[in-house]
Amino acid sequence: MFMPMTTDNAIAFLGMGLMGSRMSKRLLDAGVSIAVWNRTANACEPLIQAGADALQLEQIGQYPVVMLCLADDAAVQDVVTQILPYLHPKQICIDFSSLSVAATQQLAAQVASKQAIWVDSPVSGGTLGAENGSLVVFAGGDTQVIDALRPLYAPLAQRVTCMGSTGTGQATKICNQLIVAASSTLIAEAVALAQQTGVDANLLASALADGFADSKPFQILAPRMAQKSFEPIQWKVQTLSKDLHNAVTLAQQVKINLPMAQHALHQLQQHQAQGFAEQDLSTVILHIKGKV
């Protein structure tokens, strides 16, 4: 049995990317004692100036809760390999990264070999959700542990749903990203079609609001695509391409064909290969219109 966690618990947070830096700041602002780490150390400086401690991975055993928010399977595996010798029994690793189900289950087994606990907790809501604490979390793991962690999730998320055993959080996120990534290419096609037929595409978001075609991605992406306003970066092309690849791979493993996802993945991979990997997802309009 695990006692409920509180914001008095010290947290180690690994990964200061677009999401991790914002989530760390939310925890700091909530009064959580937090130590931060990133492979590129200078990414931690804004958090350290805001009151976080700098973390060395060898110190990881000092923290009852370790949070990770890293780029992909390889990045998380690399970091877990580094911290594994220093983990202690009953330490909890909360992984906010978006990973494959297979990698998550493997990582959970590695952590369990140290009698520590893995909770996959991928999120949805983008950078804005990370900034204002309105993310939604899809958690996979022990229900009692997840319930005990709710005070630590609270500054970050409006909702945490336990989806089942280890890996189910990631499977849910993959379903989420399948819809977002595939929709992004369709949104780009709609904006391009509107512009080619004389429609003021700047009006699409407001005109379609609350109709059956509306969605948060549509409201974010359509105006940016119409205006060719690709900054600041909210979703990187390579991130959505990676997530969609995970969806197609998972579908193959369970013998389900996803033709629309496969087509969208092909479009994103082509766009990524043309030099847009680090650019915002809204730039896919350039690929659709053949102006890359």
Side-chain angles (χ1 to χ4, degrees):
M1 178 70 68
F2 291 86
M3 296 298 293
M5 294 288 175
T6 72
T7 53
D8 294 329
N9 292 101
I11 301 297
F13 203 114
L14 315 182
M16 295 294 110
L18 287 173
M19 297 295 288
S21 59
R22 290 165 169 81
M23 295 167 75
S24 297
K25 184 61 164 56
R26 287 286 308 180
L27 290 166
L28 270 177
D29 291 345
V32 179
S33 177
I34 185 171
V36 295
W37 176 91
N38 194 72
R39 284 181 291 183
T40 305
N42 60 11
C44 295
E45 285 305 315
L47 276 301
I48 292 171
Q49 292 177 11
D53 295 323
L55 173 70
Q56 300 297 320
L57 293 184
E58 295 82 0
Q59 302 169 337
I60 208 74
Q62 300 175 17
Y63 300 90
V65 175
V66 179
M67 296 180 173
L68 304 95
C69 192
L70 300 163
D72 52 27
D73 289 8
V76 178
Q77 180 62 74
D78 178 62
V79 171
V80 169
T81 298
Q82 293 183 64
I83 68 174
L84 197 61
Y86 308 106
L87 291 180
H88 295 309
K90 296 187 179 181
Q91 269 187 290
I92 300 173
C93 296
I94 305 174
D95 183 33
F96 295 116
S97 316
S98 295
L99 306 184
S100 68
V101 173
T104 289
Q105 292 172 339
Q106 180 182 8
L107 290 160
Q110 290 178 304
V111 167
S113 73
K114 304 292 289 188
Q115 300 179 52
I117 300 160
W118 187 271
V119 180
D120 49 307
S121 297
V123 303
S124 182
T127 53
L128 182 60
E131 286 178 2
N132 62 28
S134 63
L135 295 170
V136 293
V137 177
F138 318 119
D142 185 287
T143 302
Q144 287 186 325
V145 173
I146 293 166
D147 284 342
L149 292 169
R150 289 186 185 278
L152 295 181
Y153 285 118
L156 307 173
Q158 59 175 304
R159 184 171 66 254
V160 179
T161 306
C162 181
M163 306 306 298
S165 60
T166 300
T168 59
Q170 292 295 352
T172 305
K173 177 60 184 288
I174 286 170
C175 293
N176 180 87
Q177 296 301 83
L178 187 159
I179 295 170
V180 173
S183 294
S184 71
T185 62
L186 194 59
I187 292 167
E189 291 179 2
V191 173
L193 180 61
Q195 291 176 328
Q196 289 299 110
T197 53
V199 173
D200 184 350
N202 293 301
L203 300 177
L204 280 177
S206 58
L208 274 62
D210 299 323
F212 280 2
D214 197 19
S215 66
K216 284 187 177 181
F218 181 79
Q219 289 297 326
I220 293 170
L221 290 170
R224 301 187 78 177
M225 289 175 175
Q227 298 163 19
K228 296 182 182 177
S229 176
F230 305 137
E231 298 285 345
I233 296 171
Q234 294 180 305
W235 293 304
K236 290 184 180 179
V237 171
Q238 67 178 6
T239 300
L240 272 295
S241 180
K242 176 262 297 182
D243 292 341
L244 202 48
H245 179 268
N246 283 341
V248 171
T249 300
L250 183 61
Q252 290 170 344
Q253 291 169 354
V254 297
K255 296 181 172 56
I256 293 177
N257 185 34
L258 302 179
M260 292 185 66
Q262 290 172 338
H263 180 67
L265 174 59
H266 179 66
Q267 289 180 304
L268 288 181
Q269 287 176 332
Q270 283 187 323
H271 189 50
Q272 181 175 333
Q274 290 170 319
F276 287 86
E278 297 284 338
Q279 299 303 308
D280 190 77
L281 184 62
S282 57
T283 62
V284 75
I285 185 71
L286 302 177
H287 176 73
I288 299 299
K289 298 186 73 173
K291 293 184 179 180
V292 295

